[in-house]
Amino acid sequence: MLHSEKIFNAGVVGAGGAGFPAHIKANSKVEYVLANGAECEPLIHKDYELMLHFPKEISKGFELLIESTSAKKGFFGVKEKNTKAISAISQHLNGKTELTKLGDFYPSGDEFELVYEATERLIPPAGIPLDIGCVVNNVETLYNIALAEKDIPVTKKFICVAGAIKKPASFFVPIGTSFKDVIAFAGGSKVKDYGVFVGGVMMGQLTFDLEEVVTKTTAGLIVLPKDHYLIKRKNQPEQNWHRIGKSACDQCSYCTEFCPRYLLGYQVEPHKVMRSLGFTKTGASVWNQMAELCCSCGLCTLYACPEDLYPKEACDKAKVEMRDAGIKFVQQKPMKVHPIKEGRRVPLKQLIMKLKLQDYDVEAPYNPEKIPVKKVRIPLQQHIGNPATAIVKKGEGVEEGQIIGKISDGELGANIHASINGKVTDVNEKFISIES
Ligand code: SF4
Ligand code: SF4
């Protein structure tokens, strides 16, 4: 069986991003394959721990992907400061692969940044790495590809739990486990009232609902007291972000000057997008276009803006308005990396200080113990494409690893598997619940 078929059967999706089905990348023909181990979300260390403890599996997955794509070379992106991970991984990489050592900046793990650092190629505006002969995979995706080769499907997610937590750690969790169970396994929260940033404080979502569950793309849970600066900022009603921005933005343009996409040469100019909050509809449609190539990294809102305004959120809103209006943005300026790009990079330590997270900046070591989980609620949509179709019924007994949600041949999506042994207690169009 081809590697890509095994990857499809095992339901592997991009573990570090939006959940793009991995078999499609494995099926393409490219020049370069890149491994992304450049984790840069503050406080999240799960890729580092995975590289440290499972270098053989990650390297095997990388090798399989190089083989299936017929790539001539692999680049393994990892932060230079992570010397232990570098030495663990280096022992298993073959001669076709080069290490790309990265600085400790935010957002070093952005696909566009990594591709440029490794290959000196720029992904075209609104394009994907495939457009320039590259595929990029997160290290956990590579780990899952190695397991898929042995017919082991994706039933667990490796996550990092950090912040105001008693025992910050990285560990495997059955997919569909509630945040409540995950936080309890990490010793519980240090504070009574807290919120949880799912996937990180920069690009993740804030929730107070502990019944939400871990999916194939959950990188980590950052627990913070409800009165923390970041929760207060994120928890403002959306209309306030835009109302305050409309009156208080003085067009200093710091948000643009620090924007990593702008510095790479893309026409992203959040200070101009801010103008759309105060201008007429016609004006907004013009200024909104400067948001189309924004990757929502959050640096403009949480680091650059001296007035604590919300340019990233203005860009998110602008992108929706552009889509609704059917406007397609085409970059006018030629792509050219900004001459001062290196000087404007944001050191992670500095970002952590600005976010008032220095008290939580600790290691999150790998905990090999098995989390006791009696109940899971597995989403049928954990990936880009169509949701899987449930193929089990309420009352049916299932075993860990058994396929319970299917994607038809030719459809974009990923299969779903039972993450624990037990009985199916509920099936609806969104979830399959299992109790042991
Ligand atoms: S940095 Fe803040 S104040 Fe300055 S232009 Fe951007 S949004 Fe406006
Ligand atoms: S969120 Fe802000 S800094 Fe990040 S890419 Fe978008 S505009 Fe640039």
Side-chain angles (χ1 to χ4, degrees):
M1 197 187 282
L2 290 171
H3 300 318
S4 57
E5 283 177 54
K6 288 194 170 227
I7 294 168
F8 172 74
N9 290 343
V12 184
V13 304
F20 190 77
H23 65 277
I24 296 175
K25 288 185 184 176
N27 233 344
S28 52
K29 294 291 166 234
V30 295
E31 233 179 304
Y32 302 127
V33 173
L34 290 92
N36 192 349
E39 177 169 66
C40 57
E41 267 283 352
L43 312 187
I44 293 191
H45 307 297
K46 66 110 185 154
D47 285 345
Y48 169 71
E49 293 294 327
L50 199 73
M51 288 188 281
L52 206 57
H53 295 278
F54 300 93
K56 205 167 145 205
E57 290 81 355
I58 293 169
S59 310
K60 180 69 189 168
F62 196 33
E63 214 175 274
L64 288 168
L65 204 58
I66 291 176
E67 198 184 306
S68 75
T69 56
S70 310
K72 67 175 186 195
K73 193 168 178 180
F75 291 97
F76 200 108
V78 58
K79 284 192 176 169
E80 195 164 13
K81 69 165 188 180
N82 291 335
T83 50
K84 286 186 190 165
I86 291 175
S87 91
I89 285 287
S90 304
Q91 290 173 30
H92 300 279
L93 295 179
N94 65 24
K96 264 191 159 183
T97 301
E98 192 181 298
L99 274 177
T100 302
K101 294 187 186 171
L102 305 154
D104 195 17
F105 301 110
Y106 183 85
S108 308
D110 174 38
E111 207 162 70
F112 283 57
E113 287 278 344
L114 178 62
V115 168
Y116 175 67
E117 286 287 329
T119 68
E120 292 181 13
R121 293 180 181 180
L122 285 167
I123 299 171
I128 56 172
L130 208 54
D131 297 333
I132 48 164
C134 300
V135 289
V136 184
N137 271 286
N138 167 265
V139 288
E140 191 182 349
T141 315
L142 298 173
Y143 171 87
N144 286 331
I145 287 174
L147 296 193
E149 190 63 15
K150 296 185 196 164
D151 300 317
I152 302 171
V154 181
T155 59
K156 297 186 181 76
K157 182 73 187 76
F158 195 60
I159 64 166
C160 176
V161 185
I165 205 86
K166 288 187 186 146
K167 289 189 287 176
S170 303
F171 46 88
F172 286 102
V173 174
I175 286 161
T177 302
S178 71
F179 294 169
K180 192 163 100 200
D181 286 350
V182 172
I183 291 168
F185 187 65
S189 168
K190 283 182 178 170
V191 290
K192 194 165 157 277
D193 291 325
Y194 59 89
V196 181
F197 279 95
V198 185
V201 296
M202 295 300 290
M203 294 189 76
Q205 300 299 319
L206 173 64
T207 185
F208 298 98
D209 179 3
L210 300 185
E211 292 305 322
E212 280 187 36
V213 296
V214 170
T215 71
K216 290 180 185 179
T217 58
T218 311
L221 304 182
I222 305 297
V223 172
L224 290 176
K226 250 189 185 162
D227 59 357
H228 189 275
Y229 159 77
L230 284 174
I231 294 204
K232 285 206 256 180
R233 277 211 74 186
K234 188 82 180 185
N235 213 16
Q236 287 265 349
E238 194 179 328
Q239 58 271 32
N240 282 13
W241 304 342
H242 306 316
R243 184 181 47 78
I244 300 166
K246 183 175 171 177
S247 57
C249 174
D250 61 9
Q251 290 289 291
C252 70
S253 85
Y254 279 16
C255 47
T256 296
E257 297 300 329
F258 277 98
C259 171
R261 287 286 165 100
Y262 168 78
L263 292 169
L264 265 178
Y266 299 94
Q267 226 174 329
V268 184
E269 294 180 69
H271 76 286
K272 290 186 180 165
V273 180
M274 290 298 283
R275 294 177 194 167
S276 71
L277 303 175
F279 278 68
T280 63
K281 268 265 171 263
T282 327
S285 70
V286 171
W287 304 128
N288 277 351
Q289 300 203 30
M290 296 299 122
E292 188 59 17
L293 304 176
C294 153
C295 64
S296 301
C297 73
L299 210 54
C300 49
T301 291
L302 292 172
Y303 183 82
C305 180
E307 311 213 24
D308 274 1
L309 302 182
Y310 294 85
K312 178 251 178 193
E313 287 71 14
C315 287
D316 289 344
K317 177 173 172 277
K319 283 183 259 183
V320 173
E321 287 176 4
M322 290 259 297
R323 256 189 302 279
D324 290 350
I327 302 168
K328 190 117 191 77
F329 170 69
V330 179
Q331 171 142 344
Q332 304 296 324
K333 292 185 193 158
M335 291 286 300
K336 192 167 173 280
V337 176
H338 199 291
I340 207 157
K341 175 182 184 303
E342 281 311 302
R344 295 250 177 88
R345 303 201 77 183
V346 175
L348 198 62
K349 284 276 173 213
Q350 210 162 299
L351 178 63
I352 285 173
M353 299 257 289
K354 169 87 185 177
L355 301 176
K356 305 186 198 306
L357 290 175
Q358 58 274 42
D359 290 349
Y360 307 111
D361 185 20
V362 295
E363 290 185 353
Y366 171 48
N367 177 359
E369 281 169 45
K370 202 172 168 199
I371 173 170
V373 175
K374 292 202 170 330
K375 197 174 147 192
V376 290
R377 200 160 50 98
I378 303 175
L380 287 161
Q381 174 103 57
Q382 303 179 44
H383 46 257
I384 286 179
N386 297 330
T389 305
I391 56 163
V392 286
K393 291 200 173 70
K394 189 175 170 180
E396 218 174 292
V398 290
E399 284 183 10
E400 182 186 334
Q402 180 182 329
I403 186 159
I404 55 172
K406 233 177 173 337
I407 282 288
S408 318
D409 289 343
E411 212 182 349
L412 182 66
N415 292 330
I416 306 284
H417 301 78
S419 58
I420 58 171
N421 297 332
K423 198 180 247 190
V424 176
T425 55
D426 191 23
V427 179
N428 58 42
E429 77 258 10
K430 290 205 166 142
F431 293 95
I432 297 174
S433 301
I434 304 170
E435 279 184 41
S436 63

